[in-house]
Amino acid sequence: MLREFYQGKRVFLTGDTGFKGAWLSLWLTRMGAEVGTYSLAPHTTPSLHELADVASRVRRLGGDIRQPAPLAEAMRDFRPDIVVHMAAQSLVRPSYEDPLTTFETNIMGTANVLDAVRNAGCVRAVINVTSDKCYDNREWIWGYRENDPMGGHDPYSASKGCAELVAASYIKSFFGSGRTAVASVRAGNVIGGGDFARDRLIPDMVRAFSSNDVVKIRSLRATRPWQHVLEPLHGYLMLARELVENGHAFEGGWNFGPADESTRTVGEVVTKFSEKWGDGARYELDEGNHPHEATLLKLDCSKASLRLGWRPRTGFEQALDWTCSWYKGWAQGRDCAELTLAQIDAFEEMI
């Protein structure tokens, strides 16, 4: 049903050069959508965007969401049906090093995208991608619900909480009636092939293991909701369809996290992934001083389950299996577009 809906749809996607954006670009074009992209150059080398030659499948429209005028012009010219806003400074630790760029990109960038939508006059649905870290994290054992307060200890988390407030303001001020419906989406810790960012657990392990080095791990007891990248993307695609077909009834915040069994400690992830990688993969604890990061964070996804019929398809073990097999294939020189599309096809068979 998703392929039928997205066939021929015009989708304006920011952040396609990022990890999740590259996966979504490949999935949308696989379904026959016309994808116009707006992003800076990939911020990692290598990157999934380049390895899978995403650029050959999409129409590049421009670059920096911090510059409102060219962004608005690109959106008016492309005339999208759907906008998916993913472009962001997406890491906690770099936000301590450069908080102003984090705030400028994640807060004002979001405002610029939504204002471009407001002035384009053609958009039916907007998916604003934030993070589970947008919530005021009290380190409790219960999953956060969509109506829990926004917050953020570190600059990255605070910027995502602010981006949620920006989206809520635009909904109330400009999109509460009329043709455009807007939703914000929050996912857990996403894993999958093609992520090469620094200071992320799986990419750090892959870099070390593929070079026969020992990976250093900061906090083995930190607990996160781990999910394969296709899980939240599936939720975003389902929600965008509902926004187009049913409008404002599906506006607002939505959580797309894994089942409770996939909420695991960093230590469990490291141990399992090391076993799956094999080849003498090793790790050790990094006991240095590090900036604050949350130790416990999980999402309540009852809303998505009840109202969209969305549910996770891959469990913890399968998510790690697919992730490990992708990186093993990359290390062996296999075609990364084929690796990615094969997993997309396998996931579609589950839904």
Side-chain angles (χ1 to χ4, degrees), residues 195-229:
D195 186 0
F196 294 96
R198 299 213 169 262
D199 293 319
R200 278 189 179 147
L201 183 59
I202 297 293
D204 285 349
M205 285 194 286
V206 169
R207 272 187 290 273
F209 297 164
S210 60
S211 302
N212 294 317
D213 291 333
V214 178
V215 66
K216 293 187 176 182
I217 305 299
R218 292 191 299 273
S219 178
L220 293 173
R221 289 180 293 180
T223 303
R224 298 284 189 276
W226 306 93
Q227 60 191 142
H228 191 270
V229 61

Side-chain angles (χ1 to χ4, degrees), residues 175-196:
F175 301 129
S177 60
R179 66 181 284 118
T180 305
V182 180
S184 282
V185 294
R186 306 133 189 188
N189 274 36
V190 173
I191 62 175
D195 186 0
F196 294 96

Side-chain angles (χ1 to χ4, degrees), residues 98-133:
D98 190 358
L100 292 182
T101 296
T102 300
F103 288 131
E104 184 182 16
T105 303
N106 296 353
I107 302 172
M108 285 309 302
T110 298
N112 290 338
V113 170
L114 292 173
D115 213 55
V117 170
R118 180 172 72 94
N119 290 306
C122 57
V123 180
R124 299 290 305 282
V126 179
I127 300 293
N128 177 45
V129 180
T130 64
S131 167
D132 59 350
K133 295 179 179 63

Side-chain angles (χ1 to χ4, degrees), residues 41-162:
H43 65 280
T44 65
T45 302
S47 71
L48 177 58
H49 189 272
E50 293 178 340
L51 291 173
D53 193 20
V54 173
S56 69
R57 303 167 187 266
V58 301
R59 177 179 164 189
R60 182 163 175 77
L61 303 174
D64 193 339
I65 61 170
R66 295 172 297 179
Q67 299 176 1
L71 172 62
E73 182 180 1
M75 194 171 297
R76 284 195 302 269
D77 290 346
F78 186 65
R79 297 195 59 78
D81 305 298
I82 297 167
V83 172
V84 181
H85 173 42
M86 285 187 163
Q89 193 298 97
S90 59
L91 296 170
V92 171
R93 286 167 69 86
S95 78
Y96 282 105
E97 299 164 7
D98 190 358
L100 292 182
T101 296
T102 300
F103 288 131
E104 184 182 16
T105 303
N106 296 353
I107 302 172
M108 285 309 302
T110 298
N112 290 338
V113 170
L114 292 173
D115 213 55
V117 170
R118 180 172 72 94
N119 290 306
C122 57
V123 180
R124 299 290 305 282
V126 179
I127 300 293
N128 177 45
V129 180
T130 64
S131 167
D132 59 350
K133 295 179 179 63
C134 69
Y135 291 108
D136 180 15
N137 187 6
R138 302 177 186 181
E139 303 281 354
W140 58 27
I141 62 173
W142 300 282
Y144 291 90
R145 294 174 295 180
E146 288 84 354
N147 58 355
D148 281 325
M150 300 292 102
H153 181 286
D154 56 88
Y156 168 74
S157 301
S159 75
K160 287 301 190 178
C162 289

